[in-house]
Amino acid sequence: MNQEKPISCCCVLDASTYVGFWILKRLLSKGYFVHAAIRKNGDSVLEEEIRDMEAKEERLEVYDVDVLDYQSILISLNNCNAVFCCLDNPEGYDDEKEVDLEVRGAINVVEACARTESIEKIVFSSSLTAAIWRDNIGTQKDVDEKCWSDLDFCLKKKMWHALAKTQSEKAAWALAMDRMVNMVSVNPGLIVGPSVAQHNPRPTMSYLKGAAQMYENGVLAYVDVEFVADVHIRAFEDTSACGRYFCFNQIVNTEEEALKLVQTLSPLIPMPPRYEKEMQGSEVYEERLRNKKLNKLVEAGFAC
């Protein structure tokens, strides 16, 4: 049985992102004290809901942060034992400007944690797009936590979401190791869940750039946001958790699963014309993604 150490106060930064909001809700339901760090220009509906929650929930404190303002990050981390770093851009990823902002934000968060004596662990929310993009993806049998997306390939193809997630996660890992900060990363597939089309439309569309290639190469996967939140929390509650964790419920490699995904995201996306033709057949693409490491973490959680 894995040894666990209770953590009394956690910071979720940015709590107004889709994933951050669900992590916040899960932490409160488990009895944690939570600092909800909210960036400017986040999801206004989720931000309003969080501020309403603060008025009713004594274990919740809301902080306004700017990831480029190191001091504001430090303030939000005060007396926290862990931080969940969720830096999705609500405006999506359209150019290198968003990539640079996310990388700088990740560096500032890790550096702030290194200078905060109470922080025991960072759980860094990344993405499968930080691992699946390269020229030879179709020839690789196993795509797992050892894999990284090729930066030059992402830049050449203008895969800004993948570039942002790869660069920011790599930067966070490099700094965490240099500063000897305990860090774990969770790499979810495309995130689905309640009102995702309303609360997370642009990051969803940024993730789906190149969806046809992901589908054909067996690396298009999705995951329910509530499961993602639970995995993040499990990753910091379990003291044996380490490194990266691929996180997905379903690999999309059949016509049935592709249609199901489109329906799940409705009305955000229509059925792509290319699929309308291709999905008349019954071709099944080989699955390449592996998440054995995640299964062990989740199973250990149920066993404890």
Side-chain angles (χ1 to χ4, degrees), residues 44-299:
S44 59
V45 176
L46 292 182
E47 178 180 346
E48 183 178 349
E49 188 166 342
I50 292 170
R51 295 190 187 279
D52 288 342
M53 290 167 62
E54 182 186 27
K56 305 170 186 174
E57 177 57 74
E58 63 180 11
R59 289 176 289 113
L60 175 62
E61 294 182 27
V62 177
Y63 294 80
D64 294 310
V65 298
D66 179 349
V67 293
L68 301 184
D69 179 358
Y70 181 75
Q71 190 62 34
S72 72
I73 298 175
L74 282 174
I75 293 172
S76 72
L77 298 181
N78 187 40
N79 294 323
C80 289
N81 305 106
V83 59
F84 294 87
C85 184
C86 312
L87 297 181
D88 267 347
N89 184 353
E91 297 302 315
Y93 298 82
D94 299 318
D95 55 40
E96 289 184 85
K97 180 180 178 182
E98 285 86 3
V99 176
D100 180 64
L101 176 62
E102 192 148 318
V103 172
R104 292 166 66 190
I107 290 171
N108 283 343
V109 170
V110 175
E111 184 63 41
C113 289
R115 296 175 181 270
T116 305
E117 292 184 2
S118 62
I119 293 292
E120 299 172 7
K121 182 182 282 188
I122 302 172
V123 180
F124 190 88
S125 189
S126 183
S127 173
L128 278 183
T129 61
I132 62 175
W133 285 112
R134 66 185 67 86
D135 277 320
N136 64 342
I137 189 68
T139 63
Q140 188 165 344
K141 181 175 178 58
D142 296 325
V143 179
D144 60 18
E145 289 84 358
K146 298 186 292 294
C147 299
W148 288 92
S149 290
D150 182 83
L151 295 175
D152 291 335
F153 178 86
C154 294
L155 184 61
K156 180 176 66 176
K157 299 294 185 179
K158 298 184 178 181
M159 312 295 294
W160 305 122
H161 184 276
L163 190 64
K165 296 305 178 184
T166 307
Q167 285 193 340
S168 62
E169 188 188 347
K170 281 193 168 186
W173 273 117
L175 188 57
M177 288 187 284
D178 182 68
R179 299 289 192 270
M180 292 186 292
V181 175
N182 185 13
M183 183 175 122
V184 175
S185 72
V186 178
N187 296 68
L190 178 69
I191 296 169
V192 299
S195 302
V196 66
Q198 289 73 41
H199 294 311
N200 204 43
R202 292 182 179 177
T204 297
M205 296 307 295
S206 293
Y207 186 107
L208 285 171
K209 183 172 183 180
Q213 290 73 32
M214 283 189 271
Y215 174 67
E216 292 162 5
N217 287 299
V219 293
L220 177 59
Y222 62 90
V223 60
D224 182 81
V225 68
E226 296 184 57
F227 180 68
V228 173
D230 286 340
V231 168
H232 278 76
I233 295 170
R234 181 67 199 151
F236 88 82
E237 286 183 336
D238 189 335
T239 57
S240 70
C242 62
R244 309 168 84 202
Y245 289 88
F246 277 15
C247 181
F248 55 87
N249 298 130
Q250 180 66 51
I251 297 175
V252 181
N253 67 332
T254 67
E255 174 185 339
E256 180 182 2
E257 283 300 330
L259 289 170
K260 181 179 177 181
L261 178 59
V262 170
Q263 291 165 356
T264 299
L265 295 175
S266 177
L268 187 58
I269 58 172
M271 175 66 71
R274 180 175 183 177
Y275 287 155
E276 288 178 357
K277 180 179 179 181
E278 288 185 355
M279 289 182 184
Q280 293 173 6
S282 58
E283 186 165 8
V284 177
Y285 293 101
E286 181 182 359
E287 296 181 3
R288 303 185 191 281
L289 293 171
R290 305 288 180 260
N291 64 347
K292 292 180 180 178
K293 188 179 177 186
L294 175 74
N295 293 336
K296 292 180 180 179
L297 178 72
V298 173
E299 289 167 5

